[in-house]
Amino acid sequence: MNKIWLIIKREYLTRVRNKTFILSTFLTPLLFAGIIAIVVFITVKNSDKEKIAVIDNSGVFKLPRDSAKSVVFILNTDASVEDFDKKGYTGILFGPNSGSNKTDSFQLYARKNFGVMTEAAIHDKISKEIENDLLKKRFNIVSATVDSIKKESTDIKFGKTNIIGEDDKLAKGNSSTAYAIGYAASFLIYITLFIYGSMVMRGVMEEKTNRIAEVVVSSVKPFQLMMGKIIGIGAVGLTQFLMWIILVTVLSSLIGLVVTPEVLQQVNEVNKGVPMAQMNAPSNDFAIALAKVGGELTAANIWLIVGCFLFYFLFGYLFYAALFAAVGSAVNEDPQDAQSLMFPITMPIVLAIVIMINAITHPESALATWSSIVPFFSPIVMMARIPFGVPGTVPYWQLALSMLSLIGGFLFTTWLSAKIYRTAILMYGKKVTWKEMWKWAFRKS
């Protein structure tokens, strides 16, 4: 045990004292914060309104001047198709049978292609004006009455869902917050499995190719060497994540003080103009939830979520790191060998993130439930379900079974990888296949 501890200490201190680790720990949150700030700045600055001249004899458009999102409409101007741009307009819209338009539909003329958001705003404005015109003609309802009804209906707020606990006590639920936390936690684990799993594999490969392993295994057993590297690098990852959590919390507080709710609403309005954003509505909810999540964490059992995150982060890493270590021990100097051997390990991780996207919207589906129990998927999928409620959405038996399965899976992959590692770490000059590695794993000692 002392030898494993020495290896853990060496792996941990070597990497933590590295300049790359220090810079990546502090610069990564700042980089993401900077990207978000740039996106918000560009979105706000580039939200200038297009100026459209409207020639409409049908009477659909009523106001001489009106605005809709990113477009300003000016009715019945003296502009024409030949000179609208010279008069300061970016486009000219003809109503049915108006001006040079002899058709029964609206026709837009411009000297450039408008953005998707602008075209969507024009289409929405035309539909709204036609709707108001029909209400006026058929039912004598003016647009002001329609707007008043819509305003009154939107003023009636929908309260948060009341969650009834096992002791019949009520708690406030928040699906948007659960969505944001689940997505973020699952994606972080997904990233770490690749980053730190690959780090374990590269560390083993370097020691093997540099013949350091030959010296080390003369003093310690191959299993001790493998476990020391896995746990040491895992401790590095855990340290980095704890630092990231602290930095992100501080940056989120600062962003909340700088970015006003009006700016967030403006960014959200811009996103709504993009068709893909409308097709994937939860993404807008996710962006809004991220902005509000700091003030709503008390509605969720945050300590349970943090505890489960640390558990699934640690054991998910240990589960896959053992397999990455086995692959690293079997690879010589050819990177293509590493890629081919990594494929069966990385595919379940990729599949888990695909399942997570479904689980985040349907946390109680059969796919989400059973995938959160299988060790290959549970670190990612279960963390997408837990923020929606325990034991409401995730019963205690599912959570316990998922944790026990992951622990059992970690013990199995460690045993399997140790047998492969013991043979492969001292084998040079031969291209190893998964078939051979399988034979080493189940060969009698």
Side-chain angles (χ1 to χ4, degrees):
M1 190 65 188
N2 289 334
K3 293 180 179 178
I4 295 179
W5 170 249
L6 288 174
I7 297 171
I8 293 172
K9 185 178 178 181
R10 172 187 172 274
E11 293 291 334
Y12 181 81
L13 294 178
T14 301
R15 284 171 167 78
V16 168
R17 292 172 178 172
N18 191 293
K19 291 182 180 179
T20 303
F21 172 84
I22 297 172
L23 290 175
S24 63
T25 300
F26 288 96
L27 292 182
T28 299
L30 294 174
L31 177 63
F32 278 103
I35 292 173
I36 294 172
I38 291 171
V39 170
V40 171
F41 177 79
I42 293 175
T43 301
V44 173
K45 288 298 182 182
N46 289 329
S47 57
D48 295 334
K49 293 180 179 291
E50 301 285 358
K51 193 176 178 182
I52 303 294
V54 180
I55 311 296
D56 180 31
N57 297 329
S58 65
V60 171
F61 278 78
K62 300 291 191 302
L63 296 178
R65 183 182 179 93
D66 199 2
S67 298
K69 292 183 180 178
S70 58
V71 184
V72 176
F73 297 91
I74 300 177
L75 180 61
N76 290 331
T77 67
D78 58 352
S80 64
V81 175
E82 291 77 17
D83 64 357
F84 69 88
D85 54 332
K86 297 178 181 178
K87 295 186 177 182
Y89 300 103
T90 52
I92 184 168
L93 178 67
F94 288 99
N97 300 304
S98 299
S100 60
N101 179 22
K102 306 302 180 183
T103 67
D104 294 330
S105 61
F106 281 85
Q107 298 288 332
L108 177 65
Y109 295 86
R111 299 192 185 278
K112 65 177 182 178
N113 278 321
F114 290 116
V116 175
M117 182 186 67
T118 302
E119 286 200 354
I122 294 172
H123 293 167
D124 290 344
K125 180 63 177 177
I126 293 172
S127 298
K128 181 181 177 181
E129 293 299 329
I130 292 174
E131 178 185 328
N132 291 336
D133 186 60
L134 291 174
L135 288 172
K136 171 66 176 176
K137 290 178 179 177
R138 297 184 183 180
F139 304 103
N140 199 31
I141 300 176
V142 297
S143 59
T145 304
V146 177
D147 293 338
S148 176
I149 293 172
K150 289 181 178 179
K151 183 179 184 305
E152 288 185 28
S153 65
T154 54
D155 286 342
I156 301 174
K157 302 298 183 181
F158 173 70
K160 295 176 182 177
T161 306
N162 296 293
I163 307 298
I164 304 174
E166 291 182 334
D167 53 359
D168 291 335
K169 290 184 178 180
L170 293 179
K172 293 294 183 182
N174 193 310
S175 297
S176 296
T177 301
Y179 181 95
I181 295 173
Y183 190 97
S186 299
F187 198 77
L188 284 174
I189 292 178
Y190 167 76
I191 294 295
T192 57
L193 292 181
F194 273 111
I195 293 177
Y196 297 107
S198 300
M199 192 180 295
V200 170
M201 185 187 70
R202 288 196 302 270
V204 174
M205 288 174 58
E206 289 173 2
E207 289 187 352
K208 180 179 178 179
T209 54
N210 294 334
R211 302 298 178 100
I212 298 175
E214 293 181 0
V215 179
V216 177
V217 296
S218 63
S219 304
V220 299
K221 295 180 180 179
F223 175 78
Q224 294 174 321
L225 176 61
M226 185 187 76
M227 287 303 299
K229 293 189 72 67
I230 290 173
I231 297 174
I233 295 175
V236 173
L238 193 59
T239 301
Q240 193 169 54
F241 262 97
L242 291 174
M243 293 294 295
W244 282 348
I245 290 172
I246 295 171
L247 290 171
V248 168
T249 303
V250 173
L251 289 173
S252 299
S253 302
L254 294 176
I255 291 173
L257 295 173
V258 175
V259 181
T260 62
E262 291 76 14
V263 173
L264 290 174
Q265 184 63 29
Q266 186 175 356
V267 174
N268 186 52
E269 286 296 324
V270 171
N271 289 334
K272 286 181 179 178
V274 183
M276 289 302 293
Q278 293 178 352
M279 291 172 63
N280 187 16
S283 62
N284 290 331
D285 294 337
F286 174 63
I288 298 171
L290 280 178
K292 297 180 179 178
V293 72
E296 297 179 346
L297 287 180
T298 53
N301 191 343
I302 189 61
W303 295 114
L304 175 66
I305 295 172
V306 171
C308 289
F309 175 82
L310 294 176
F311 173 84
Y312 282 104
F313 167 83
L314 180 61
F315 280 93
Y317 161 78
L318 293 174
F319 178 85
Y320 276 101
L323 297 175
F324 277 106
V327 169
S329 66
V331 175
N332 290 300
E333 297 181 358
D334 191 354
Q336 292 183 351
D337 292 345
Q339 293 177 0
S340 61
L341 292 176
M342 279 178 61
F343 183 76
I345 302 175
T346 57
M347 277 307 297
I349 304 176
V350 175
L351 183 57
I353 203 71
V354 174
I355 297 173
M356 182 275 290
I357 295 173
N358 178 271
I360 207 83
T361 53
H362 305 285
E364 294 184 288
S365 65
L367 176 64
T369 299
W370 294 108
S371 297
S372 63
I373 295 173
V374 177
F376 284 96
F377 311 129
S378 61
I380 294 173
V381 179
M382 183 56 88
M383 277 312 305
R385 300 180 64 215
I386 288 174
F388 286 91
V390 178
T393 302
V394 182
Y396 287 124
W397 72 266
Q398 291 183 13
L399 183 60
L401 182 58
S402 174
M403 289 181 169
L404 290 174
S405 298
L406 185 57
I407 293 172
F410 155 64
L411 295 175
F412 174 74
T413 56
T414 302
W415 169 82
L416 186 74
S417 299
K419 298 195 73 174
I420 297 173
Y421 190 96
R422 182 178 58 187
T423 303
I425 193 66
L426 297 176
M427 182 174 289
Y428 300 94
K430 181 181 179 181
K431 187 174 182 179
V432 179
T433 63
W434 271 105
K435 183 178 179 180
E436 289 179 302
M437 294 169 67
W438 192 257
K439 289 180 180 178
W440 297 340
F442 293 98
R443 182 177 58 191
K444 293 182 180 180
S445 302

